[in-house]
Amino acid sequence: MTDATPPTLTERLTLTRPTDRDLPELHELHADPAVWTHLPSARHTALSETCALIERYQAGWEANGLDVWVARDTATGALVGIGGPSLRGGVAWNLYYRLAPAAWGRGYAQELIAAARAAASASAPDLPVVAFLLEHNDGSRRAAERAGLEVVWRGPDAGNPDPDAVRLVFADRVLSDEALRVFVG
């Protein structure tokens, strides 16, 4: 993996490819119960889980030239979170965002989403941008709505330990059946 990709800058964020140097902070973020209140079963309990996540994002960067970034406050260097577009099945960009609790409510999600949408559009403008989230995750849902994405599917969350969990698929356009299948099977 190379670090040669220049950072993406927003008004307040510096967005970089994840590296092994980010592992301690990203593990702390993904192990924090506060960021998993909507899906506690996905919380990282072992460093190896976060390491595998970083490896997946690094592989996405290598394969597609774009994937999830580490988001840091440009002024302080503090970790704000992680997010960006990941190519799913070659047919859609999955918009991911997970912010540290200290960053919640400060507009960082919108900066990250705007950068992700711009990068995805520059890379493959014919592919939709999708946010795949749990219905009861109000913060994530509001972020997708504020970004102008619209609900294109609502249904049961297959594999969720909570049998009543409902998934929402937001998108920036109508999804093909193939693209929808990538997210909901």
Side-chain angles (χ1 to χ4, degrees):
M1 203 266 329
T2 178
D3 289 355
T5 305
T8 297
L9 302 175
T10 69
E11 182 181 341
R12 300 173 295 165
L13 298 174
T14 299
L15 307 173
T16 59
R17 289 172 66 156
T19 70
D20 296 341
R21 292 184 304 276
D22 298 309
L23 180 60
E25 287 177 294
L26 292 180
H27 179 67
E28 184 178 338
L29 174 68
H30 285 85
D32 185 344
V35 302
W36 292 105
T37 58
H38 305 290
L39 186 60
S41 63
R43 184 176 152 267
H44 291 192
T45 58
L47 194 63
S48 60
E49 292 170 292
T50 311
C51 188
L53 186 70
I54 291 173
E55 288 172 359
R56 190 174 82 221
Y57 295 143
Q58 289 171 341
W61 275 98
E62 291 301 317
N64 307 308
L66 180 63
D67 211 288
V68 169
W69 296 292
V70 173
R72 295 188 180 280
D73 182 294
T74 300
T76 67
L79 180 73
V80 169
I82 188 167
S86 285
L87 191 59
R88 288 270 186 101
V91 297
W93 293 103
N94 181 54
L95 180 59
Y96 178 73
Y97 40 95
R98 183 163 310 282
L99 302 181
W104 293 350
R106 299 175 64 193
Y108 288 123
Q110 290 307 305
E111 280 186 53
L112 187 54
I113 290 168
R117 290 184 72 188
S121 180
S123 177
D126 55 321
L127 298 182
V129 174
V130 174
F132 182 68
L133 53 101
L134 286 164
E135 184 174 56
H136 65 274
N137 187 339
D138 291 332
S140 191
R141 182 182 40 76
R142 282 192 308 270
E145 290 169 343
R146 270 188 239 122
L149 303 178
E150 295 184 13
V151 175
V152 297
W153 185 87
R154 179 184 184 274
D157 187 27
N160 192 315
D162 176 359
D164 297 324
V166 173
R167 277 284 175 178
L168 299 176
V169 176
F170 281 80
D172 65 351
R173 65 193 82 173
V174 174
L175 296 181
S176 68
D177 290 343
E178 180 184 15
L180 188 57
R181 271 193 305 277
V182 165
F183 291 91
V184 299

mmCIF file of all heavy atoms in Angstrom, residues 128-160:
data_model
loop_
_atom_site.group_PDB
_atom_site.id
_atom_site.type_symbol
_atom_site.label_atom_id
_atom_site.label_comp_id
_atom_site.label_asym_id
_atom_site.label_seq_id
_atom_site.Cartn_x
_atom_site.Cartn_y
_atom_site.Cartn_z
ATOM 1 N N PRO A 128 -24.468 5.173 -8.879
ATOM 2 C CA PRO A 128 -25.181 5.846 -7.796
ATOM 3 C C PRO A 128 -24.391 5.837 -6.494
ATOM 4 O O PRO A 128 -23.530 4.980 -6.278
ATOM 5 C CB PRO A 128 -26.464 5.018 -7.647
ATOM 6 C CG PRO A 128 -26.115 3.674 -8.171
ATOM 7 C CD PRO A 128 -25.092 3.897 -9.250
ATOM 8 N N VAL A 129 -24.712 6.795 -5.638
ATOM 9 C CA VAL A 129 -24.177 6.856 -4.280
ATOM 10 C C VAL A 129 -25.304 6.433 -3.350
ATOM 11 O O VAL A 129 -26.419 6.968 -3.422
ATOM 12 C CB VAL A 129 -23.669 8.266 -3.937
ATOM 13 C CG1 VAL A 129 -23.246 8.350 -2.476
ATOM 14 C CG2 VAL A 129 -22.512 8.647 -4.857
ATOM 15 N N VAL A 130 -25.006 5.469 -2.479
ATOM 16 C CA VAL A 130 -26.015 4.846 -1.630
ATOM 17 C C VAL A 130 -25.579 4.937 -0.169
ATOM 18 O O VAL A 130 -24.414 4.750 0.147
ATOM 19 C CB VAL A 130 -26.183 3.357 -2.024
ATOM 20 C CG1 VAL A 130 -27.111 2.629 -1.069
ATOM 21 C CG2 VAL A 130 -26.666 3.247 -3.463
ATOM 22 N N ALA A 131 -26.535 5.216 0.701
ATOM 23 C CA ALA A 131 -26.322 5.126 2.149
ATOM 24 C C ALA A 131 -27.230 4.009 2.662
ATOM 25 O O ALA A 131 -28.440 4.052 2.469
ATOM 26 C CB ALA A 131 -26.647 6.446 2.830
ATOM 27 N N PHE A 132 -26.635 3.017 3.278
ATOM 28 C CA PHE A 132 -27.315 1.815 3.752
ATOM 29 C C PHE A 132 -27.306 1.880 5.273
ATOM 30 O O PHE A 132 -26.251 1.741 5.895
ATOM 31 C CB PHE A 132 -26.530 0.601 3.228
ATOM 32 C CG PHE A 132 -27.084 -0.737 3.575
ATOM 33 C CD1 PHE A 132 -28.283 -1.175 3.032
ATOM 34 C CD2 PHE A 132 -26.396 -1.587 4.417
ATOM 35 C CE1 PHE A 132 -28.785 -2.439 3.325
ATOM 36 C CE2 PHE A 132 -26.882 -2.852 4.719
ATOM 37 C CZ PHE A 132 -28.085 -3.270 4.174
ATOM 38 N N LEU A 133 -28.458 2.157 5.895
ATOM 39 C CA LEU A 133 -28.449 2.420 7.334
ATOM 40 C C LEU A 133 -29.675 1.859 8.033
ATOM 41 O O LEU A 133 -30.680 1.533 7.398
ATOM 42 C CB LEU A 133 -28.317 3.922 7.586
ATOM 43 C CG LEU A 133 -29.314 4.823 6.875
ATOM 44 C CD1 LEU A 133 -30.407 5.249 7.818
ATOM 45 C CD2 LEU A 133 -28.585 6.031 6.330
ATOM 46 N N LEU A 134 -29.558 1.765 9.336
ATOM 47 C CA LEU A 134 -30.679 1.290 10.140
ATOM 48 C C LEU A 134 -31.669 2.424 10.363
ATOM 49 O O LEU A 134 -31.286 3.555 10.653
ATOM 50 C CB LEU A 134 -30.181 0.759 11.488
ATOM 51 C CG LEU A 134 -29.484 -0.597 11.408
ATOM 52 C CD1 LEU A 134 -28.695 -0.872 12.669
ATOM 53 C CD2 LEU A 134 -30.495 -1.700 11.146
ATOM 54 N N GLU A 135 -32.946 2.097 10.242
ATOM 55 C CA GLU A 135 -33.995 3.107 10.343
ATOM 56 C C GLU A 135 -33.967 3.847 11.674
ATOM 57 O O GLU A 135 -34.207 5.048 11.728
ATOM 58 C CB GLU A 135 -35.361 2.434 10.141
ATOM 59 C CG GLU A 135 -36.520 3.396 10.140
ATOM 60 C CD GLU A 135 -37.816 2.704 9.801
ATOM 61 O OE1 GLU A 135 -38.185 1.722 10.490
ATOM 62 O OE2 GLU A 135 -38.463 3.132 8.829
ATOM 63 N N HIS A 136 -33.660 3.155 12.765
ATOM 64 C CA HIS A 136 -33.676 3.800 14.077
ATOM 65 C C HIS A 136 -32.405 4.615 14.376
ATOM 66 O O HIS A 136 -32.304 5.223 15.432
ATOM 67 C CB HIS A 136 -33.951 2.779 15.190
ATOM 68 C CG HIS A 136 -32.874 1.754 15.358
ATOM 69 N ND1 HIS A 136 -32.834 0.611 14.616
ATOM 70 C CD2 HIS A 136 -31.809 1.717 16.179
ATOM 71 C CE1 HIS A 136 -31.785 -0.107 14.984
ATOM 72 N NE2 HIS A 136 -31.145 0.544 15.923
ATOM 73 N N ASN A 137 -31.485 4.677 13.437
ATOM 74 C CA ASN A 137 -30.282 5.508 13.604
ATOM 75 C C ASN A 137 -30.607 6.919 13.087
ATOM 76 O O ASN A 137 -30.330 7.267 11.939
ATOM 77 C CB ASN A 137 -29.101 4.895 12.852
ATOM 78 C CG ASN A 137 -27.808 5.631 13.129
ATOM 79 O OD1 ASN A 137 -27.797 6.784 13.540
ATOM 80 N ND2 ASN A 137 -26.697 4.948 12.889
ATOM 81 N N ASP A 138 -31.233 7.706 13.948
ATOM 82 C CA ASP A 138 -31.725 9.024 13.548
ATOM 83 C C ASP A 138 -30.625 9.936 13.016
ATOM 84 O O ASP A 138 -30.826 10.647 12.039
ATOM 85 C CB ASP A 138 -32.443 9.706 14.710
ATOM 86 C CG ASP A 138 -33.755 9.032 15.066
ATOM 87 O OD1 ASP A 138 -34.381 8.425 14.174
ATOM 88 O OD2 ASP A 138 -34.146 9.119 16.245
ATOM 89 N N GLY A 139 -29.453 9.931 13.656
ATOM 90 C CA GLY A 139 -28.368 10.805 13.207
ATOM 91 C C GLY A 139 -27.900 10.468 11.807
ATOM 92 O O GLY A 139 -27.725 11.349 10.965
ATOM 93 N N SER A 140 -27.723 9.196 11.531
ATOM 94 C CA SER A 140 -27.278 8.762 10.213
ATOM 95 C C SER A 140 -28.351 9.040 9.158
ATOM 96 O O SER A 140 -28.061 9.491 8.048
ATOM 97 C CB SER A 140 -26.925 7.278 10.248
ATOM 98 O OG SER A 140 -26.264 6.892 9.087
ATOM 99 N N ARG A 141 -29.601 8.793 9.530
ATOM 100 C CA ARG A 141 -30.706 9.057 8.607
ATOM 101 C C ARG A 141 -30.795 10.545 8.282
ATOM 102 O O ARG A 141 -30.917 10.934 7.122
ATOM 103 C CB ARG A 141 -32.024 8.565 9.208
ATOM 104 C CG ARG A 141 -33.221 8.763 8.282
ATOM 105 C CD ARG A 141 -34.534 8.314 8.908
ATOM 106 N NE ARG A 141 -34.691 8.639 10.308
ATOM 107 C CZ ARG A 141 -34.985 9.856 10.790
ATOM 108 N NH1 ARG A 141 -35.152 10.875 9.967
ATOM 109 N NH2 ARG A 141 -35.117 10.055 12.082
ATOM 110 N N ARG A 142 -30.711 11.390 9.306
ATOM 111 C CA ARG A 142 -30.773 12.840 9.064
ATOM 112 C C ARG A 142 -29.604 13.307 8.195
ATOM 113 O O ARG A 142 -29.774 14.168 7.338
ATOM 114 C CB ARG A 142 -30.792 13.605 10.390
ATOM 115 C CG ARG A 142 -32.153 13.592 11.067
ATOM 116 C CD ARG A 142 -32.224 14.579 12.220
ATOM 117 N NE ARG A 142 -31.154 14.446 13.187
ATOM 118 C CZ ARG A 142 -31.181 13.680 14.262
ATOM 119 N NH1 ARG A 142 -32.255 12.953 14.528
ATOM 120 N NH2 ARG A 142 -30.158 13.627 15.092
ATOM 121 N N ALA A 143 -28.429 12.739 8.406
ATOM 122 C CA ALA A 143 -27.269 13.116 7.583
ATOM 123 C C ALA A 143 -27.519 12.768 6.122
ATOM 124 O O ALA A 143 -27.231 13.564 5.226
ATOM 125 C CB ALA A 143 -26.006 12.430 8.093
ATOM 126 N N ALA A 144 -28.066 11.581 5.862
ATOM 127 C CA ALA A 144 -28.370 11.183 4.480
ATOM 128 C C ALA A 144 -29.433 12.099 3.868
ATOM 129 O O ALA A 144 -29.311 12.526 2.713
ATOM 130 C CB ALA A 144 -28.830 9.727 4.435
ATOM 131 N N GLU A 145 -30.445 12.419 4.650
ATOM 132 C CA GLU A 145 -31.505 13.305 4.147
ATOM 133 C C GLU A 145 -30.963 14.705 3.862
ATOM 134 O O GLU A 145 -31.265 15.282 2.813
ATOM 135 C CB GLU A 145 -32.647 13.387 5.165
ATOM 136 C CG GLU A 145 -33.438 12.104 5.275
ATOM 137 C CD GLU A 145 -34.398 12.075 6.452
ATOM 138 O OE1 GLU A 145 -34.254 12.904 7.386
ATOM 139 O OE2 GLU A 145 -35.284 11.198 6.440
ATOM 140 N N ARG A 146 -30.156 15.256 4.785
ATOM 141 C CA ARG A 146 -29.579 16.589 4.576
ATOM 142 C C ARG A 146 -28.693 16.625 3.340
ATOM 143 O O ARG A 146 -28.561 17.671 2.709
ATOM 144 C CB ARG A 146 -28.764 17.017 5.798
ATOM 145 C CG ARG A 146 -29.588 17.766 6.808
ATOM 146 C CD ARG A 146 -28.714 18.344 7.903
ATOM 147 N NE ARG A 146 -29.200 17.775 9.142
ATOM 148 C CZ ARG A 146 -28.498 17.056 10.000
ATOM 149 N NH1 ARG A 146 -27.230 16.842 9.817
ATOM 150 N NH2 ARG A 146 -29.048 16.567 11.074
ATOM 151 N N ALA A 147 -28.092 15.496 3.021
ATOM 152 C CA ALA A 147 -27.216 15.422 1.845
ATOM 153 C C ALA A 147 -28.022 15.305 0.549
ATOM 154 O O ALA A 147 -27.446 15.266 -0.534
ATOM 155 C CB ALA A 147 -26.267 14.238 1.975
ATOM 156 N N GLY A 148 -29.331 15.241 0.654
ATOM 157 C CA GLY A 148 -30.163 15.183 -0.542
ATOM 158 C C GLY A 148 -30.432 13.785 -1.048
ATOM 159 O O GLY A 148 -31.004 13.623 -2.134
ATOM 160 N N LEU A 149 -30.051 12.773 -0.290
ATOM 161 C CA LEU A 149 -30.340 11.398 -0.696
ATOM 162 C C LEU A 149 -31.781 11.073 -0.323
ATOM 163 O O LEU A 149 -32.330 11.625 0.636
ATOM 164 C CB LEU A 149 -29.376 10.425 -0.013
ATOM 165 C CG LEU A 149 -27.884 10.669 -0.253
ATOM 166 C CD1 LEU A 149 -27.055 9.651 0.520
ATOM 167 C CD2 LEU A 149 -27.548 10.634 -1.723
ATOM 168 N N GLU A 150 -32.390 10.166 -1.071
ATOM 169 C CA GLU A 150 -33.784 9.806 -0.834
ATOM 170 C C GLU A 150 -33.917 8.308 -0.596
ATOM 171 O O GLU A 150 -33.167 7.507 -1.165
ATOM 172 C CB GLU A 150 -34.639 10.209 -2.032
ATOM 173 C CG GLU A 150 -34.675 11.713 -2.223
ATOM 174 C CD GLU A 150 -35.601 12.140 -3.339
ATOM 175 O OE1 GLU A 150 -36.411 11.309 -3.812
ATOM 176 O OE2 GLU A 150 -35.518 13.308 -3.726
ATOM 177 N N VAL A 151 -34.879 7.940 0.230
ATOM 178 C CA VAL A 151 -35.135 6.525 0.510
ATOM 179 C C VAL A 151 -35.645 5.859 -0.759
ATOM 180 O O VAL A 151 -36.608 6.317 -1.369
ATOM 181 C CB VAL A 151 -36.166 6.357 1.649
ATOM 182 C CG1 VAL A 151 -36.514 4.879 1.840
ATOM 183 C CG2 VAL A 151 -35.653 6.944 2.938
ATOM 184 N N VAL A 152 -34.966 4.772 -1.154
ATOM 185 C CA VAL A 152 -35.394 4.010 -2.328
ATOM 186 C C VAL A 152 -35.814 2.583 -1.954
ATOM 187 O O VAL A 152 -36.340 1.863 -2.783
ATOM 188 C CB VAL A 152 -34.296 3.967 -3.427
ATOM 189 C CG1 VAL A 152 -34.013 5.367 -3.944
ATOM 190 C CG2 VAL A 152 -33.029 3.298 -2.916
ATOM 191 N N TRP A 153 -35.565 2.209 -0.686
ATOM 192 C CA TRP A 153 -35.953 0.873 -0.216
ATOM 193 C C TRP A 153 -36.018 0.881 1.303
ATOM 194 O O TRP A 153 -35.204 1.530 1.969
ATOM 195 C CB TRP A 153 -34.941 -0.161 -0.691
ATOM 196 C CG TRP A 153 -35.310 -1.583 -0.376
ATOM 197 C CD1 TRP A 153 -36.080 -2.419 -1.128
ATOM 198 C CD2 TRP A 153 -34.923 -2.336 0.790
ATOM 199 N NE1 TRP A 153 -36.195 -3.638 -0.518
ATOM 200 C CE2 TRP A 153 -35.498 -3.619 0.666
ATOM 201 C CE3 TRP A 153 -34.158 -2.052 1.909
ATOM 202 C CZ2 TRP A 153 -35.317 -4.614 1.613
ATOM 203 C CZ3 TRP A 153 -33.987 -3.034 2.868
ATOM 204 C CH2 TRP A 153 -34.558 -4.303 2.711
ATOM 205 N N ARG A 154 -36.978 0.152 1.833
ATOM 206 C CA ARG A 154 -37.127 -0.046 3.275
ATOM 207 C C ARG A 154 -37.534 -1.486 3.487
ATOM 208 O O ARG A 154 -38.445 -1.994 2.815
ATOM 209 C CB ARG A 154 -38.207 0.881 3.825
ATOM 210 C CG ARG A 154 -38.460 0.733 5.303
ATOM 211 C CD ARG A 154 -39.632 1.618 5.763
ATOM 212 N NE ARG A 154 -39.810 1.535 7.189
ATOM 213 C CZ ARG A 154 -40.523 0.604 7.818
ATOM 214 N NH1 ARG A 154 -41.150 -0.334 7.121
ATOM 215 N NH2 ARG A 154 -40.611 0.597 9.136
ATOM 216 N N GLY A 155 -36.841 -2.171 4.402
ATOM 217 C CA GLY A 155 -37.194 -3.557 4.657
ATOM 218 C C GLY A 155 -36.416 -4.144 5.804
ATOM 219 O O GLY A 155 -35.625 -3.466 6.463
ATOM 220 N N PRO A 156 -36.625 -5.431 6.065
ATOM 221 C CA PRO A 156 -35.949 -6.097 7.179
ATOM 222 C C PRO A 156 -34.442 -6.127 6.971
ATOM 223 O O PRO A 156 -33.947 -6.184 5.848
ATOM 224 C CB PRO A 156 -36.535 -7.513 7.172
ATOM 225 C CG PRO A 156 -37.162 -7.681 5.837
ATOM 226 C CD PRO A 156 -37.480 -6.324 5.301
ATOM 227 N N ASP A 157 -33.720 -6.055 8.098
ATOM 228 C CA ASP A 157 -32.259 -6.087 8.055
ATOM 229 C C ASP A 157 -31.787 -7.523 8.217
ATOM 230 O O ASP A 157 -31.631 -8.018 9.339
ATOM 231 C CB ASP A 157 -31.681 -5.194 9.151
ATOM 232 C CG ASP A 157 -30.184 -5.057 9.056
ATOM 233 O OD1 ASP A 157 -29.641 -5.184 7.939
ATOM 234 O OD2 ASP A 157 -29.536 -4.804 10.096
ATOM 235 N N ALA A 158 -31.596 -8.193 7.105
ATOM 236 C CA ALA A 158 -31.197 -9.605 7.115
ATOM 237 C C ALA A 158 -29.918 -9.791 7.920
ATOM 238 O O ALA A 158 -28.952 -9.046 7.763
ATOM 239 C CB ALA A 158 -30.996 -10.095 5.691
ATOM 240 N N GLY A 159 -29.923 -10.776 8.804
ATOM 241 C CA GLY A 159 -28.743 -11.105 9.584
ATOM 242 C C GLY A 159 -28.589 -10.307 10.866
ATOM 243 O O GLY A 159 -27.700 -10.593 11.668
ATOM 244 N N ASN A 160 -29.418 -9.325 11.093
ATOM 245 C CA ASN A 160 -29.332 -8.526 12.311
ATOM 246 C C ASN A 160 -29.850 -9.358 13.483
ATOM 247 O O ASN A 160 -30.901 -9.989 13.372
ATOM 248 C CB ASN A 160 -30.162 -7.244 12.149
ATOM 249 C CG ASN A 160 -29.897 -6.228 13.248
ATOM 250 O OD1 ASN A 160 -29.838 -6.552 14.424
ATOM 251 N ND2 ASN A 160 -29.759 -4.985 12.837
#
